[in-house]
Amino acid sequence: MSAGATAVSRAVLVERPGAHRLIGREVPSPGPGEVRVRVAAAGICMSDRELYEGHRAPEYVRYPVVPGHEWSGTVDAVGAGVDPALLGRPCVAEGFRSCGRCERCRYGETSLCTAGYAETGFTEPGAFADHLLVPARLLHPLPDGVDLRAAALLEPAAVVAAAVRAGRPRPGERIAVVGAGTLGLLAVQWLAASSPGELAVVDPRAQRADKALGFGASRTLTPREADGEAGRFDLVVETAGAPPTAASSCLLARRGGRVVLTGMFTAGATGIDPVHLSVSQLEIRSVFGASSAAWADAVRAFSLGLLDPAPLVTHEFPLERFGEALALVGGGDPGAGKVLLRP
């Protein structure tokens, strides 16, 4: 860089549904209470594709926007009032910009903040960029030398942590995970550590189901095979968000069993049978994002080596190839797992 030249930070800007470009901007400076992160890796998920295609509900996106809510990086600048010891620390950060003051935040349910929805990568600039600004209070520092490529998956891991908190697995229980995508496979890895008596995974994709066996599942089922397992499982963790999976997950649970819904459903999904729900006395919980406590659980498990998302990553692309990377997500390629952008 020549003397006097201004440093440039690149970012993928989605100007409106279906339109994006790679922009160069001045490297942002953190304000009071903020840190600047040099992004190491950022994951692409179906929510990003929905944002790009214009299918995300208007109240949950604000165009133009730099996407990217699954990420890892290193703190390279701190704003006023922020501990300078954070400089150089590998980190992740919570996506929800919770207020910390409303009743739900006071109860620790920070993902349900009532002050208004704000989330990195959807309403606030995200991590499909060289640099990212985030409030320091949302930061979760990681140990030195950590695998930042794998750490980019700590956002979905935090959602799984929230599901595990809600499901309360007990040693020896029969557990089913519905869906073998990123959330499902992370759930399998986490639940396997609870010493289940059985850990079954339901997914129509043979390649994804087989991968679940390597993550700790004891067996796999197609949805048709799962129809014959009705009423068998103590705990069912639904991760697919497909139209029929909320209802079918409830049918898998035994009487008095527990069901946790983590998939993001859209209008038209099959409803849960209220008669079955009442006569079976099921306990059903849903998960929306992850609270600060769930984030702390995920970071702790990752830092201790109890959770390893690295095998989920199958593709990595530079920012310039965002369009190609996005097309792989939900594109039907059986060999595509987690896709990362690497600035």
Side-chain angles (χ1 to χ4, degrees):
M1 184 182 298
S2 61
T6 301
V8 174
S9 180
R10 302 166 303 151
V12 175
L13 181 70
V14 177
E15 298 177 294
R16 61 186 182 280
H20 77 277
R21 60 191 175 96
L22 187 66
I23 62 171
R25 56 188 181 175
E26 187 175 342
V27 176
S29 297
E34 289 185 326
V35 298
R36 184 178 71 214
V37 174
R38 183 68 168 87
V39 179
I44 305 176
C45 81
M46 279 302 297
S47 294
D48 299 307
R49 183 157 181 166
E50 291 168 1
L51 177 154
Y52 186 75
E53 294 176 345
H55 297 152
R56 192 167 174 86
E59 62 267 32
Y60 295 109
V61 66
R62 186 180 302 137
Y63 299 100
V65 64
V66 176
H69 61 287
E70 303 177 4
W71 59 269
S72 64
T74 303
V75 177
D76 75 349
V78 299
V82 178
D83 186 355
L86 288 172
L87 282 169
R89 287 296 301 273
C91 66
V92 291
E94 298 169 33
F96 287 118
R97 306 290 182 95
S98 55
C99 72
R101 298 181 298 275
C102 71
E103 183 182 45
R104 296 274 53 85
C105 284
R106 294 291 190 181
Y107 270 88
E109 298 173 342
T110 51
S111 62
L112 303 180
C113 176
T114 59
Y117 172 75
E119 185 176 3
T120 299
F122 295 106
T123 65
E124 313 298 324
F128 294 170
D130 290 324
H131 299 91
L132 171 68
L133 297 180
V134 293
R137 62 185 175 83
L138 300 179
L139 210 67
H140 288 265
L142 299 171
D144 289 333
V146 74
D147 179 1
L148 286 175
R149 174 177 171 269
L153 276 70
L154 279 172
E155 192 275 342
V159 175
V160 168
V164 172
R165 278 176 159 257
R168 308 183 313 280
R170 305 179 186 105
E173 287 194 317
R174 297 183 298 270
I175 301 176
V177 175
V178 178
T182 297
L183 286 178
L185 291 175
L186 288 172
V188 168
Q189 195 174 70
W190 200 301
L191 290 164
S194 69
S195 301
E198 178 183 342
L199 182 53
V201 174
V202 181
D203 198 288
R205 302 165 295 181
Q207 188 169 347
R208 301 297 291 182
D210 288 345
K211 198 162 191 174
L213 295 174
F215 275 69
S218 56
R219 66 187 182 116
T220 63
L221 301 165
T222 66
R224 183 177 295 276
E225 290 169 338
D227 288 342
E229 302 280 335
R232 175 177 173 79
F233 296 96
D234 302 291
L235 171 63
V236 181
V237 179
E238 189 284 329
T239 68
T245 53
S248 63
S249 293
C250 291
L251 296 176
L252 287 173
R254 64 163 171 82
R255 298 191 76 189
R258 309 182 306 283
V259 179
V260 183
L261 306 176
T262 67
M264 293 300 292
F265 297 94
T266 57
T270 304
I272 296 170
D273 180 359
V275 176
H276 175 75
L277 178 62
S278 60
V279 300
S280 297
Q281 195 175 301
L282 297 183
E283 178 184 333
I284 299 181
R285 290 284 305 275
S286 62
V287 169
F288 179 66
S291 67
S292 297
W295 269 94
D297 281 352
V299 168
R300 184 182 302 111
F302 176 71
S303 299
L304 292 173
L306 301 177
L307 189 68
D308 180 18
L312 293 175
V313 178
T314 59
H315 296 78
E316 301 177 43
F317 294 87
L319 291 178
E320 294 86 350
R321 296 172 63 187
F322 167 72
E324 184 180 346
L326 187 69
L328 268 178
V329 178
D333 182 346
K338 176 54 65 174
V339 178
L340 298 182
L341 289 181
R342 299 294 300 270

